[in-house]
Amino acid sequence: MLNDKPVQKPISTAVIVSKVYKRPMAGPIREIADKLTKLGVKVYLDANTAVGFNISEIQSITRREMRDLDLIIVIGGDGSLLGAARTLVDLKVPVLGINRGHLGLLTDVNPDNIDESLKRVVSGQYSLEERTMIDVRVSRDSDDGVGELIGSSLATNETVIHSGTMAHMMVFKVSINGTHLYTMRGDGIIVNTPTGSTAYSLSAGGPIIEPHLDLLSLVPMFPQSLNCSPLIIPGKSEVKIEFEAPDELAELIAINCDGQVTMRADTNSSVFIRQHHTPLVLIHPEGYDYYSLLRQKLGFGRSLV
């Protein structure tokens, strides 16, 4: 849910988190920490980030200690924020993304206007937005009928279930809340959140969904059917995906979350997807406009001639 009115609680403590890339990020981290300090904010550094970039002059804290802070700042691209979200969402601390990557749909604070954006956020001129995350679990039925959990992950954008081999079709049996939806033969299936509707799902022909809506989307990948369209379902739905294998010989499957975590299983397994109990809370500086972001980042509505 988006709160359009500025939140009046100013920011007094913040922690900086960044994925440890090969790119030089130590400079931007120090620069942003300095700007925040001058604005009166007590700044900490995530312990993993401090070690990865060899930054010792900023006090580091563990992820458990972040729970009592006002703000988590993720510096990097959208992938950095996706990775941080999976491990930090249950802390229930708002997250601000500062873009040092490419697209920047989630890390919406640009370096060009960082001074003004930080000043607004620190003074309480920001909006809070809850983003749905999904909980993905993979289990295998044993001979005695008891399911064995073989993998689990959270995802902010989507989970993609496929064979792990390019252009290899499989048979997917999809159920929603215990009711059979369809049996589809295709390359894979995407289950995505509204946040993920502008990611991999968009490339597969899925709809763009306003990020604050309580929905999930199912997008078939190259189905061998003319009537298997993307489907929007209520956010509280539980999706179950089972498989059929030729001659009852188990085939390998891959379950990918946010393009960053891959779980391996086989067609004797089942995949369960449901909404995570805690949403990701994003902070946007005052003036944030989702439609403007679509036009700028994705060329939405741009003339073709």
Side-chain angles (χ1 to χ4, degrees):
M1 181 179 296
L2 185 64
N3 176 10
D4 292 325
K5 294 182 179 180
V7 178
Q8 297 305 315
K9 178 185 176 182
I11 302 298
S12 61
T13 56
V15 60
I16 295 175
V17 178
S18 185
K19 182 179 177 181
V20 181
Y21 314 85
K22 293 181 180 178
R23 310 182 207 168
M25 294 293 291
I29 290 170
R30 290 186 171 98
E31 175 189 349
I32 291 166
D34 183 60
K35 292 178 185 296
L36 289 168
T37 300
K38 289 177 179 177
L39 290 170
V41 178
K42 174 61 179 175
V43 183
Y44 301 92
L45 201 59
D46 164 55
N48 293 335
T49 304
V51 171
F53 291 107
N54 192 27
I55 299 175
S56 58
E57 67 271 23
I58 303 173
Q59 182 180 345
S60 63
I61 59 173
T62 65
R63 300 210 162 181
R64 184 182 297 272
E65 293 172 313
M66 296 179 190
R67 191 180 302 273
D68 298 324
L69 302 185
D70 296 328
L71 179 65
I72 295 170
I73 296 177
V74 178
I75 303 175
D78 287 343
S80 298
L81 197 145
L82 293 175
R86 289 194 302 274
T87 57
L88 301 178
V89 60
D90 289 334
L91 299 179
K92 300 180 181 179
V93 178
V95 177
L96 174 70
I98 296 180
N99 186 25
R100 290 282 177 169
H102 298 291
L103 193 58
L105 284 167
L106 291 173
T107 50
D108 55 288
V109 175
N110 294 315
D112 294 342
N113 61 355
I114 191 169
D115 289 324
E116 183 60 29
S117 294
L118 289 178
K119 184 177 179 181
R120 289 183 178 184
V121 168
V122 168
S123 66
Q125 299 178 65
Y126 57 80
S127 59
L128 293 172
E129 185 179 32
E130 293 184 350
R131 297 288 185 100
T132 292
M133 294 186 66
I134 51 176
D135 190 336
V136 183
R137 296 177 180 268
V138 186
S139 66
R140 181 185 291 115
D141 290 336
S142 58
D143 294 336
D144 58 7
V146 178
E148 174 192 6
L149 181 67
I150 59 176
S152 65
S153 178
L154 299 182
T156 308
N157 274 349
E158 75 279 299
T159 184
V160 183
I161 301 103
H162 58 105
S163 69
T165 303
M166 183 180 293
H168 178 72
M169 285 195 168
M170 299 178 60
V171 177
F172 301 82
K173 298 189 294 184
V174 182
S175 301
I176 299 176
N177 297 327
T179 301
H180 179 69
L181 176 63
Y182 54 60
T183 299
M184 177 203 79
R185 180 175 172 82
D187 279 14
I189 188 166
I190 302 168
V191 181
N192 63 276
T193 67
T195 301
S197 71
T198 52
Y200 196 49
S201 169
L202 184 63
S203 302
I208 295 177
I209 306 171
E210 286 211 25
H212 66 277
L213 295 177
D214 187 14
L215 302 170
L216 296 176
S217 175
L218 276 66
V219 182
M221 297 170 60
F222 303 105
Q224 196 177 39
S225 172
L226 297 177
N227 60 353
C228 197
S229 301
L231 180 67
I232 304 293
I233 61 175
K236 300 297 189 294
S237 303
E238 181 171 291
V239 180
K240 180 180 181 181
I241 300 175
E242 299 171 289
F243 309 90
E244 289 183 1
D247 304 320
E248 298 184 353
L249 296 175
E251 294 185 6
L252 294 178
I253 61 171
I255 304 95
N256 185 274
C257 295
D258 288 341
Q260 297 178 340
V261 175
T262 299
M263 296 174 279
R264 303 286 181 178
D266 59 37
T267 49
N268 291 327
S269 306
S270 301
V271 182
F272 299 86
I273 303 106
R274 63 183 177 184
Q275 195 175 74
H276 188 52
H277 52 75
T278 303
L280 173 67
V281 180
L282 294 180
I283 274 186
H284 300 296
E286 188 179 44
Y288 170 80
D289 178 1
Y290 179 68
Y291 298 126
S292 175
L293 200 65
L294 290 181
R295 292 193 301 272
Q296 292 173 22
K297 303 292 186 178
L298 297 180
F300 192 70
R302 185 178 299 162
S303 175
L304 298 179
V305 293

